[in-house]
Amino acid sequence: MSAVQAKQTIAETMREIGRNARIGANALKVATPEQKRTALLTAAGALNAHRKQILAANALDMAAAREKGISGAFLDRLLLTDARIDGIIEAVKTIAELPDPVGTVIAEWDRPNGLHIERVRTPLGVIGVIFESRPNVTADAGALCIKSGNAVILRGGSDSFHSSRAIVDCLLDGLHLAGLPVECVQLVPTTDREAVGEMLKGLDGNIDVIVPRGGKSLVARVQSEARVPVFAHLEGLVHVYIDRSADLDKAVAVTLNAKMRRTGICGAAETLLVHQDVAGTHLQPIIAALVAKGCEIRGDATVMGLVPEAVAATEQDWRTEYEDAIISVKIVESLEAAIAHIEHYSSHHTEAIIAEDAEAVEKFFNGIDSAILVHNASTQFADGGEFGFGGEIGIATGKMHARGPVGVEQLTSFKYRVRGNGQTRP
Amino acid sequence: MSAVQAKQTIAETMREIGRNARIGANALKVATPEQKRTALLTAAGALNAHRKQILAANALDMAAAREKGISGAFLDRLLLTDARIDGIIEAVKTIAELPDPVGTVIAEWDRPNGLHIERVRTPLGVIGVIFESRPNVTADAGALCIKSGNAVILRGGSDSFHSSRAIVDCLLDGLHLAGLPVECVQLVPTTDREAVGEMLKGLDGNIDVIVPRGGKSLVARVQSEARVPVFAHLEGLVHVYIDRSADLDKAVAVTLNAKMRRTGICGAAETLLVHQDVAGTHLQPIIAALVAKGCEIRGDATVMGLVPEAVAATEQDWRTEYEDAIISVKIVESLEAAIAHIEHYSSHHTEAIIAEDAEAVEKFFNGIDSAILVHNASTQFADGGEFGFGGEIGIATGKMHARGPVGVEQLTSFKYRVRGNGQTRP
């Protein structure tokens, strides 16, 4: 950083980053599919070639984190290994080979006057990504934005700064070789929190969307302060409902997987609702499977009577995303009661029904307004990769523009192309 | 209004309207296509049956407006006649017969693990429409929202209050007969401007989108103050570019129509750009046609030299949406220069190219990021009805969610339906 730049305030630095991002966006908007693919495949190659530098940068971050007394899951999220770099490279390659969304005709039709109208995908512009300690978000978000023709401003956590910098350098190699400006991907050079505040104000109109990736306090701050649209979910208070028509084996296997495969992800189940008609047959085997895997059971009065392992659930339990090996369990008298409970308590992320009765499934699918509804499968499939999107920049629970896993298609807008042969409007 | 209600503050009244709207939205969300169609066809019948009451209500509004000294275009927009009521009825019938967007499968695919994923349209929830004097907006907006499964809060101008009330009463007849709650369509019972401020704050999360319909000062206020998403365009600074490959007849006919058919609508052309290679052949006939219709010409230096009728354009002219019989005209040295001018000055609403060279058209379509791009046809086709949407609640120039004419499809969100047979995530 030159002496002149060093004198800039953070607000000035961020505004300059915004203006540069718009320059990048204008170049990416007209980049060819081959240019974007080349940029990403080259970046993947650079990530492989610069493994040592990336691991060395990560070692700096890890040492600083340990010195600050950080440990446990946070430290594990920060860690890069050769295997994790392999995963990052694979993700960038997968995104490189996705169909290019920009220019895709989403719909087209003819008018009686002979006009032909097409609705085609266009980039959104500039995406601001605010994330915490996972260095892989740097590569995922950068690659998804390049593929969808958007410039990206990456603001990583201070703990992962060196790792992110090393990864961004590889993305810049790719942009350079593809003849695209390096302004397409910018890493905010300061870890001061003021930089986040500036991004949330939109950098003079130079950020079109903000995507927060991290814990609830980060997402809550972004959602309440942002003056630009936000793609995010504050929490995943996910429900599994066992219908009276549920197959017992599916009920046990899906509930166990939905809760216990990984308890810390947003698609993990938090509340189990069981129809009273199958409480006698299905509840015990499901609970037994969960308890055998170390899950704590918090039940309503009926569950308490049936399950000796259960502790009493309080009102707060129905509102809690545990992100841990705990599940709240309630017996409901009907499908309608299950729907009402979910509509009342859900964070509208993902909900599952286990049922063989097709009519019950349709009622569940129609009656619940969550981003993802699942029939006879685990809620942990709520993921852009599992949806076939080749990756996701996040999962959105809002209803505007993007909803559910946000992949390259959801990072686009559209415009209309109208073709005539001299038509005038009467 | 009861004595108790009369004691409510405007903020309290509006919050209650918000809560009621959510009740309406929850009912509409699960309404059948037939219910919504019935509601609208019944409303159309009621509009016809209650013509006299509507005209009488409008006469009250007109008398009050005249007393306030209102005249000209504003008074004309306020006026209802039998023919205009016919138009309103036709519009409601057209919307009634549109395909129901809710539940439509937008995309579906299978995953290698056997999961079948569908993306289906869902209503957005509650739409707040803030409009000025045109009573027909009451019927259009109400009908489009009902059809798309959204509750609507209508806040009309004080000048059209009685007319809007009479029209809303007909919509309520339709809802009632279809077994839908009257909370689906609410007219704000006060014309106090504080009510608009409350709507812009979102009524405790009970407004999902705001649509302003009216003059620039209304739209600007809504865009700057709204805490919820807004579908709007501040202005339509629309360009027509005459390429070096343009057919002369098309250039004359389209430019004349784009500027002069109706000068006050947002799709009307404001700036004409002409390639220097055809300035000698095409400029004069186009200008002559415009001048013959009473259009004032404001030109750059080259135009001033070629066109005796022209007055000198200032920098401000390239930034001005005249909404009047005035056009600014500039000679450009290339297609690229035309694109650069448009990208710099445009409001990103609608732009047209007149050209026979397909490559020039593609460059224009790819290089300009406006909601609607038109080839060899009038920019005045920028309209939901002309697009085949059966109506529009407005035209949006933002890139989030809706863009261009906002019809019933753009008033929806989507959710995912995932169907399995017991799949768990490895």
Side-chain angles (χ1 to χ4, degrees):
Chain A
M1 199 177 269
S2 74
V4 173
Q5 282 176 314
K7 282 187 204 154
Q8 284 186 327
T9 64
I10 287 170
E12 286 165 352
T13 302
M14 294 308 296
R15 290 177 71 185
E16 189 178 330
I17 287 175
R19 289 190 297 274
N20 287 341
R22 190 59 70 191
I23 292 169
N26 286 337
L28 267 174
K29 193 168 69 177
V30 293
T32 64
E34 198 45 41
Q35 270 184 299
K36 292 182 274 181
R37 183 172 167 274
T38 300
L40 294 180
L41 291 179
T42 306
L47 287 164
N48 190 39
H50 296 112
R51 247 168 222 281
K52 276 189 189 164
Q53 290 93 320
I54 296 168
L55 289 172
N58 185 247
L60 282 178
D61 286 335
M62 290 291 288
R66 284 198 195 92
E67 203 156 297
K68 282 166 68 181
I70 289 168
S71 63
F74 186 95
L75 203 61
D76 182 62
R77 283 199 289 273
L78 182 58
L79 177 69
L80 286 177
T81 61
D82 259 314
R84 286 184 179 185
I85 293 177
D86 286 344
I88 290 172
I89 293 169
E90 269 320 297
V92 173
K93 283 185 183 170
T94 301
I95 294 164
E97 302 294 358
L98 289 175
D100 195 299
V102 177
T104 308
V105 176
I106 313 168
E108 56 182 320
W109 62 95
D110 290 298
R111 297 291 302 151
N113 59 9
L115 289 179
H116 182 75
I117 304 182
E118 296 171 321
R119 187 187 293 150
V120 297
R121 285 196 199 284
T122 62
L124 280 172
V126 179
I127 316 289
V129 182
I130 301 170
F131 58 106
E132 291 178 339
S133 58
R134 293 180 198 266
N136 66 306
V137 174
T138 320
D140 282 0
L144 287 165
C145 287
I146 292 172
K147 188 74 189 185
S148 52
N150 295 294
V152 63
I153 299 172
L154 295 161
R155 203 287 187 184
S158 54
D159 296 302
S160 60
F161 183 75
H162 297 96
S163 312
S164 292
R165 181 73 260 167
I167 292 171
V168 165
D169 284 344
C170 297
L171 295 175
L172 299 187
D173 284 356
L175 290 168
H176 185 69
L177 192 98
L180 290 167
V182 291
E183 286 85 355
C184 297
V185 177
Q186 293 178 91
L187 182 69
V188 174
T190 166
T191 56
D192 194 302
R193 281 170 66 92
E194 190 188 337
V196 172
E198 293 297 326
M199 286 177 74
L200 298 183
K201 284 187 247 164
L203 305 182
D204 306 322
N206 284 322
I207 291 187
D208 295 290
V209 183
I210 296 263
V211 182
R213 284 288 300 267
K216 273 180 214 181
S217 64
L218 169 68
V219 176
R221 179 188 174 196
V222 169
Q223 287 185 328
S224 86
E225 288 182 27
R227 301 296 303 268
V228 288
V230 174
F231 293 162
H233 65 277
L234 185 61
E235 51 183 17
L237 214 168
V238 169
H239 296 76
V240 174
Y241 163 62
I242 312 295
D243 188 52
R244 63 190 292 186
S245 71
D247 175 89
L248 177 58
D249 290 345
K250 291 176 191 168
V252 172
V254 169
T255 307
L256 188 64
N257 188 267
K259 176 71 243 182
M260 297 301 292
R261 175 185 162 269
R262 283 179 63 190
T263 55
I265 67 172
C266 58
E270 307 293 358
T271 296
L272 174 67
L273 304 173
V274 179
H275 193 289
Q276 61 181 9
D277 290 2
V278 291
T281 50
H282 290 37
L283 185 65
Q284 292 277 10
I286 295 170
I287 298 294
L290 287 167
V291 169
K293 288 277 184 186
C295 187
E296 178 184 331
I297 311 295
R298 301 196 185 167
D300 68 1
T302 315
V303 173
M304 292 287 287
L306 292 168
V307 179
E309 300 92 335
V311 299
T314 65
E315 170 66 19
Q316 189 53 37
D317 280 298
W318 314 119
R319 304 181 181 280
T320 300
E321 183 188 18
Y322 302 112
E323 298 185 304
D324 203 349
I326 307 169
I327 195 165
S328 54
V329 187
K330 184 187 179 82
I331 306 299
V332 290
E333 64 183 5
S334 64
L335 168 62
E336 289 69 25
I339 292 172
H341 178 99
I342 294 171
E343 282 286 279
H344 186 72
Y345 291 103
S346 171
S347 62
H348 300 291
H349 186 296
T350 299
E351 333 289 345
I353 178 172
I354 312 303
E356 298 302 309
D357 173 4
E359 203 183 311
V361 177
E362 292 317 298
K363 274 194 185 164
F364 189 87
F365 277 11
N366 290 330
I368 297 175
D369 194 20
S370 294
I372 304 171
L373 297 165
V374 185
H375 171 221
N376 283 355
S378 173
T379 56
Q380 301 219 0
F381 287 113
D383 171 273
E386 293 296 327
F387 270 51
F389 292 176
E392 67 181 22
I393 202 164
I395 291 188
T397 50
K399 280 191 277 188
M400 299 301 295
H401 194 92
R403 201 174 193 208
V406 181
V408 292
E409 282 191 6
Q410 287 72 40
L411 291 174
T412 63
S413 179
F414 58 83
K415 63 183 175 187
Y416 292 96
R417 297 176 164 184
V418 182
R419 297 176 200 271
N421 53 14
Q423 284 88 341
T424 56
R425 189 169 168 189
Chain B
M1 199 174 268
S2 75
V4 174
Q5 280 175 314
K7 282 188 206 155
Q8 284 185 323
T9 64
I10 286 171
E12 286 165 352
T13 301
M14 294 308 296
R15 290 178 71 186
E16 187 178 332
I17 287 175
R19 288 191 297 274
N20 287 340
R22 191 59 68 190
I23 292 169
N26 285 337
L28 267 174
K29 194 169 68 178
V30 291
T32 65
E34 199 44 41
Q35 272 184 298
K36 291 182 275 181
R37 182 172 167 274
T38 299
L40 294 180
L41 291 178
T42 305
L47 286 164
N48 191 37
H50 296 112
R51 247 169 222 279
K52 276 190 189 163
Q53 290 93 320
I54 296 168
L55 290 172
N58 185 247
L60 283 179
D61 287 334
M62 290 291 288
R66 284 197 195 92
E67 204 158 297
K68 282 165 68 181
I70 288 169
S71 64
F74 186 95
L75 202 62
D76 181 61
R77 284 200 288 272
L78 182 57
L79 178 69
L80 286 178
T81 62
D82 259 314
R84 287 184 178 184
I85 293 177
D86 286 344
I88 290 172
I89 293 169
E90 268 322 297
V92 172
K93 282 186 184 170
T94 301
I95 294 164
E97 301 294 358
L98 290 175
D100 195 297
V102 177
T104 307
V105 176
I106 313 167
E108 58 182 318
W109 62 95
D110 290 297
R111 296 292 303 151
N113 58 11
L115 290 179
H116 182 74
I117 303 182
E118 295 171 320
R119 188 188 291 148
V120 297
R121 287 197 196 283
T122 61
L124 281 171
V126 178
I127 317 290
V129 181
I130 300 170
F131 57 106
E132 292 178 337
S133 58
R134 293 180 198 266
N136 65 306
V137 173
T138 320
D140 282 0
L144 287 164
C145 288
I146 291 172
K147 188 73 188 185
S148 52
N150 296 294
V152 63
I153 299 172
L154 296 160
R155 203 286 188 182
S158 53
D159 296 302
S160 60
F161 183 75
H162 296 96
S163 312
S164 291
R165 182 73 260 168
I167 291 170
V168 165
D169 285 343
C170 297
L171 295 175
L172 298 187
D173 283 357
L175 290 168
H176 185 69
L177 192 98
L180 290 167
V182 292
E183 286 85 355
C184 297
V185 176
Q186 294 177 90
L187 182 69
V188 174
T190 167
T191 57
D192 194 301
R193 281 169 64 91
E194 190 189 337
V196 172
E198 293 297 325
M199 286 176 74
L200 298 182
K201 283 187 249 165
L203 306 181
D204 306 321
N206 284 323
I207 291 187
D208 295 289
V209 183
I210 296 263
V211 181
R213 285 289 300 269
K216 273 180 214 182
S217 63
L218 169 68
V219 177
R221 179 188 173 195
V222 168
Q223 287 185 328
S224 86
E225 289 181 26
R227 301 296 305 268
V228 288
V230 174
F231 293 163
H233 65 279
L234 186 61
E235 51 183 18
L237 214 168
V238 169
H239 296 77
V240 174
Y241 163 63
I242 311 296
D243 188 54
R244 63 191 292 188
S245 70
D247 174 90
L248 176 59
D249 291 344
K250 290 177 191 167
V252 173
V254 168
T255 307
L256 188 65
N257 188 266
K259 176 70 243 183
M260 297 301 291
R261 175 184 161 270
R262 283 179 62 190
T263 56
I265 67 172
C266 59
E270 307 292 358
T271 296
L272 173 67
L273 304 172
V274 179
H275 193 289
Q276 61 181 8
D277 290 2
V278 291
T281 51
H282 290 37
L283 184 64
Q284 292 278 10
I286 295 170
I287 298 293
L290 288 167
V291 169
K293 287 277 185 184
C295 187
E296 178 184 329
I297 312 296
R298 300 196 186 167
D300 68 2
T302 316
V303 173
M304 292 288 286
L306 293 167
V307 178
E309 300 93 334
V311 297
T314 65
E315 170 65 20
Q316 189 53 36
D317 280 298
W318 313 119
R319 302 179 182 280
T320 300
E321 183 189 17
Y322 302 113
E323 299 186 302
D324 203 349
I326 308 170
I327 196 164
S328 54
V329 187
K330 184 188 180 80
I331 305 299
V332 291
E333 64 183 4
S334 63
L335 168 63
E336 289 70 25
I339 292 173
H341 179 97
I342 293 171
E343 281 287 279
H344 186 71
Y345 291 104
S346 171
S347 62
H348 301 292
H349 185 295
T350 299
E351 334 289 345
I353 179 173
I354 312 302
E356 297 302 309
D357 173 4
E359 205 182 309
V361 177
E362 291 317 299
K363 275 193 184 166
F364 188 87
F365 277 10
N366 290 330
I368 296 176
D369 193 21
S370 294
I372 303 172
L373 297 164
V374 185
H375 170 222
N376 283 355
S378 173
T379 56
Q380 300 219 0
F381 286 113
D383 170 272
E386 293 296 325
F387 269 50
F389 292 175
E392 66 182 25
I393 202 165
I395 290 189
T397 51
K399 281 192 276 187
M400 299 303 295
H401 194 93
R403 202 176 191 205
V406 181
V408 291
E409 281 190 6
Q410 286 72 38
L411 291 174
T412 63
S413 179
F414 58 84
K415 63 184 175 187
Y416 291 97
R417 296 176 166 185
V418 182
R419 297 174 200 272
N421 53 14
Q423 282 89 340
T424 56
R425 189 169 168 189

